Amino acid sequence: YPLTSFISNSDEIISMQLNIANKAVSGKDTPFYVSFTNNLNEDFNNLKLYITAGSFSQEQDFSIKAKERFGKNFILTLPIDTPPGEYNLVLKIYSGETLKGNGKTILRVDPNKELEEKTSRVNGFLSTKVIITKINKGNILTNKQVKYPIGSFENLFTETTPKATLTNENGQKYLNWNLLIKSGEQIDVTIDTNYAGLFFTILGLIVLAGLIYYIKTRSIRLTKKVIMIREGHDKHSYKVILNLQNYTRKPIHNLKIIDLLPALIKHYSDFVTLEPKNIQQGSRGLRFVWEISKLDSNEERMISYKIEPQLNLFGNIKLPPASLHFLAKNNKLIVRKSNSAPFRLSKQ
């Protein structure tokens, strides 16, 4: 009679021997080798091989001939967030719902503190964005301290995400973050320095100043000054000069200039350029009134008269501003004042 062998369990029809290191690193490829043996004198096709370990699972088509023995290489890649501990690496072969082979071994996953770090920098118009990226490629919660040097002026125009704390170490300022990074988590620290706001503020002020200057220079302007005139070796006098300029594009009619001369200062009776319409004596001094019927666009008029102190005065003196009066289109009275006119009286 022929010798007949019996297999007591169906899961022993195909036996397996696993050859793998007893440690695996989460997120990394772990190679292993399996030797398969068909214990029956029968071919098996259209089988399914299932490989599981923790949350890792894989499915492959499988076939083996009668009494065949062969080996095959596999790659096990546990998810990056697989916690440390011991796991069963299980291989099962099925024909439909019938188990034909079963293999198992113990696999240990150790704590992995791998942290990937990279820094990128993007330069824009008057701006710089620095992104510090931390990626936890390990399988445990990781605490990471991040420091970034920054200047005091630069810090005024810098925003950070997440919000940083500012410290000072030996005169150098640092932005600091204390990051708790979960397994598989990526945290981006953004340092955004932008001087555009300052630039446009300064530009706006310059434009505003230019606009004010343009408006002033495109209108009627009255200025006043006092100059000293030498009339000999030790003799000199003083002249008040009122300068009227029409910077508008249209003529101005019926202008009136009023100037005040304090009581301690007297004037000469002769007026070199234009005689005043009225000279009025007041308690605080003389009031000169000039009337100009028309001032054309871009026309300039100069009025001057000589003065001298009533008493033996010397030192710094300031004459009050003169005023200009005229009517606008809507018959609204416009009053413009000149600058005051400081000068120094010297001893004769």
Side-chain angles (χ1 to χ4, degrees), residues 32-51:
F32 64 98
Y33 180 84
V34 181
S35 177
F36 298 94
T37 302
N38 184 352
N39 296 309
L40 294 183
N41 191 20
E42 179 184 350
D43 293 344
F44 291 99
N45 298 306
N46 302 319
L47 302 177
K48 289 291 184 180
L49 170 62
Y50 297 95
I51 305 173

Side-chain angles (χ1 to χ4, degrees), residues 313-333:
L313 296 176
F314 62 91
N316 295 322
I317 304 292
K318 181 185 287 187
L319 296 184
S323 61
L324 171 68
H325 304 248
F326 62 94
L327 293 177
K329 281 185 178 181
N330 56 1
N331 289 325
K332 180 181 178 182
L333 178 64

Side-chain angles (χ1 to χ4, degrees), residues 215-237:
I215 290 173
K216 283 189 173 182
T217 57
R218 294 306 300 175
S219 61
I220 294 183
R221 188 180 181 194
L222 178 65
T223 60
K224 181 178 181 178
K225 66 179 178 180
V226 178
I227 62 174
M228 184 177 68
I229 302 171
R230 293 193 178 275
E231 297 178 341
H233 181 66
D234 291 324
K235 192 175 181 182
H236 52 265
S237 62

Side-chain angles (χ1 to χ4, degrees), residues 115-179:
L115 188 68
E116 181 179 312
E117 304 180 350
K118 57 184 179 180
T119 302
S120 62
R121 188 183 190 93
V122 179
N123 293 319
F125 175 68
L126 297 173
S127 66
T128 302
K129 180 180 285 188
V130 177
I131 302 175
I132 302 172
T133 300
K134 306 292 182 182
I135 305 172
N136 187 350
K137 292 199 168 181
N139 58 358
I140 58 173
L141 182 68
T142 301
N143 178 265
K144 180 64 177 179
Q145 300 286 334
V146 178
K147 290 173 60 176
Y148 183 83
I150 193 167
S152 298
F153 181 75
E154 180 186 4
N155 185 53
L156 296 174
F157 303 94
T158 298
E159 294 183 354
T160 63
T161 306
K163 191 170 181 62
T165 57
L166 187 67
T167 58
N168 193 323
E169 299 178 18
N170 299 321
Q172 172 64 60
K173 287 184 169 58
Y174 290 92
L175 297 173
N176 295 269
W177 296 266
N178 184 22
L179 304 179

Side-chain angles (χ1 to χ4, degrees), residues 22 53-54 78 82-89 105-110:
N22 63 349
L78 293 173
T82 301
E86 289 188 343
Y87 295 87
N88 290 322
L89 174 59
T105 189
I106 300 297
L107 193 64
R108 189 174 77 246
V109 176
D110 288 340

Side-chain angles (χ1 to χ4, degrees), residues 297-344:
S297 174
N298 294 319
E299 185 181 357
E300 181 178 350
R301 291 283 185 93
M302 184 180 294
I303 299 172
S304 64
Y305 58 93
K306 293 174 66 177
I307 60 172
E308 66 179 15
Q310 296 270 28
L311 304 173
N312 189 22
L313 296 176
F314 62 91
N316 295 322
I317 304 292
K318 181 185 287 187
L319 296 184
S323 61
L324 171 68
H325 304 248
F326 62 94
L327 293 177
K329 281 185 178 181
N330 56 1
N331 289 325
K332 180 181 178 182
L333 178 64
I334 305 296
V335 179
R336 300 275 174 82
K337 287 189 175 293
S338 75
N339 55 291
S340 56
F343 67 103
R344 182 175 180 80

